[in-house]
Amino acid sequence: MVEALHIGSEVRAAVASGAPVVALESTIFSELGLPEPANRKCFERVRAVVRSSGAVPALCGVLDGRAIVGANPDQAERLLDGSVKLGARDLGPAVAAGLDVGVTTVSATVTLAAAAGIEVFATGGIGGVHRGADRTGDVSADLEALARHRVVVVSSGVKCFLDVALTLERLETLGVAVLGWRTDRFPAFYVRDGGLELTTVVDDGREVAAAFRAAAALGHPGGMLVANPIPADAQLDAGDVDEAVEAAEAAARRDGVSGGDVTPAVLTALADATGGAAVQANTALAESNAAVAAEIATALAQLPVRR
Ligand code: PSU
Ligand code: MN
């Protein structure tokens, strides 16, 4: 049998020497996350931001029946063309079945990052509790994965069409600390202020690294969420977003979309409804999160594990 987990040589060396590494998911950079060619552009920009901040980017996914952490350029090309979305629970079956190309969500990528010894992960927005979850039960596996793996996740809050208040409640229940990056307001993806307050504010990567190391020293088993608002000049109008989200969700319901297909369907409809503005905003926040993640990874590399 081929190895289940393949760590790219550059990433492997960086992890071994304690150099900063930032894990990246492949779902947002595939057409399930952003329309062509914006998806590729976004990936290139994010990768460049991580590198220019002195960290090694580690794009994750599944190729030819192996989980990949740290795709090389050819592998990245193939992943960006992927259209099979893999959550954490899908990894084992996908690898065993020899799946040719699978893109990993936050839950799957956090799982792989932890397996590879990577402590920091940057994305756009994590999944969470969907509106109407009391009826549908639709709660993203991303939340459980954050609780289970010791990884710092940097995002601009949660996907814009979730029930943000319920998602924050669930994160509290799961024991996942939510740190506001230079803000005490939980960001709402395309909008800086989601209307909910955060109790912990951090001002730089060293503060995050200190909190993360301290939690681990105290036996905390899971990760943390760093909430970084979209850059001010890139944010969208909250009213416009609400309107577009409602239309997109109504369309998804009408088309009978369910389960893992909901997110890609709503994202596509949103991109159309906002005339591409949502795509630009998504790219801007992904880049910003990558820079923050690289700063945190650098601080962690300089902060030895406490006992
Ligand atoms: N948020 C976005 N774009 C995305 C996703 C989230 O703005 O593409 C993806 C991420 O990969 C996230 C996943 O982990 O959607 C969550 O999907 P679900 O709700 O089906 O768990
Ligand atoms: Mn779901």
Side-chain angles (χ1 to χ4, degrees):
M1 206 178 119
V2 292
E3 51 179 354
L5 174 65
H6 173 76
I7 305 174
S9 52
E10 188 190 11
V11 170
R12 183 184 293 276
V15 170
S17 68
V21 179
V22 174
L24 303 171
E25 61 157 311
S26 39
T27 302
I28 53 164
F29 304 123
S30 75
E31 280 193 75
L32 299 180
L34 287 163
E36 239 347 312
N39 61 334
R40 270 158 217 288
K41 219 182 244 162
C42 183
F43 172 62
E44 274 153 30
R45 301 246 291 261
V46 163
R47 191 180 51 182
V49 165
V50 172
R51 285 219 183 273
S52 69
S53 311
V56 175
L59 181 68
C60 300
V62 168
L63 288 176
D64 306 318
R66 282 193 315 183
I68 307 281
V69 173
N72 67 29
D74 289 342
Q75 292 169 330
E77 261 312 300
R78 288 182 64 199
L79 283 176
L80 266 49
D81 282 332
S83 56
V84 177
K85 174 179 164 186
L86 303 176
R89 70 171 184 172
D90 305 317
L91 287 171
V95 165
L99 179 70
D100 54 347
V101 187
V103 292
T104 48
T105 65
V106 172
S107 69
T109 308
V110 164
T111 304
L112 294 180
I118 299 172
E119 296 181 311
V120 185
F121 164 57
T123 185
I126 64 166
V129 182
H130 282 251
R131 295 177 196 167
D134 52 339
R135 265 181 303 109
T136 63
D138 193 351
V139 177
S140 176
D142 292 356
L143 302 182
E144 285 282 343
L146 249 95
R148 203 170 297 152
H149 300 289
R150 225 176 244 168
V151 176
V152 179
V153 176
V154 182
S155 82
S156 298
V158 297
K159 286 186 302 196
C160 57
F161 48 96
L162 299 177
D163 187 319
V164 180
L166 280 187
T167 301
L168 275 178
E169 287 294 342
R170 189 64 63 96
L171 285 167
E172 182 186 354
T173 304
L174 289 168
V176 177
V178 181
L179 314 181
W181 183 265
R182 297 174 189 157
T183 182
D184 65 354
R185 312 292 294 175
F186 192 62
F189 205 63
Y190 300 122
V191 178
R192 286 177 65 82
D193 183 353
L196 292 164
E197 202 171 325
L198 295 176
T199 48
T200 313
V201 178
V202 290
D203 289 316
D204 58 30
R206 280 177 315 181
E207 282 183 38
V208 178
F212 186 71
R213 288 276 184 262
L218 298 171
H220 186 77
M224 289 180 170
L225 181 64
V226 173
N228 174 38
I230 185 171
D233 58 357
Q235 76 173 327
L236 304 182
D237 177 82
D240 292 353
V241 172
D242 282 347
E243 219 170 275
V245 166
E246 253 162 58
E249 287 205 303
R253 269 197 304 275
R254 202 174 47 235
D255 298 343
V257 180
S258 66
D261 296 334
V262 170
T263 294
V266 172
L267 287 174
T268 305
L270 266 181
D272 292 343
T274 59
V279 172
Q280 267 189 24
N282 207 334
T283 303
L285 65 85
E287 267 184 72
S288 172
N289 293 340
V292 169
E295 183 181 324
I296 295 167
T298 303
L300 278 168
Q302 288 159 3
L303 197 63
V305 176
R306 275 169 59 175
R307 283 179 204 287

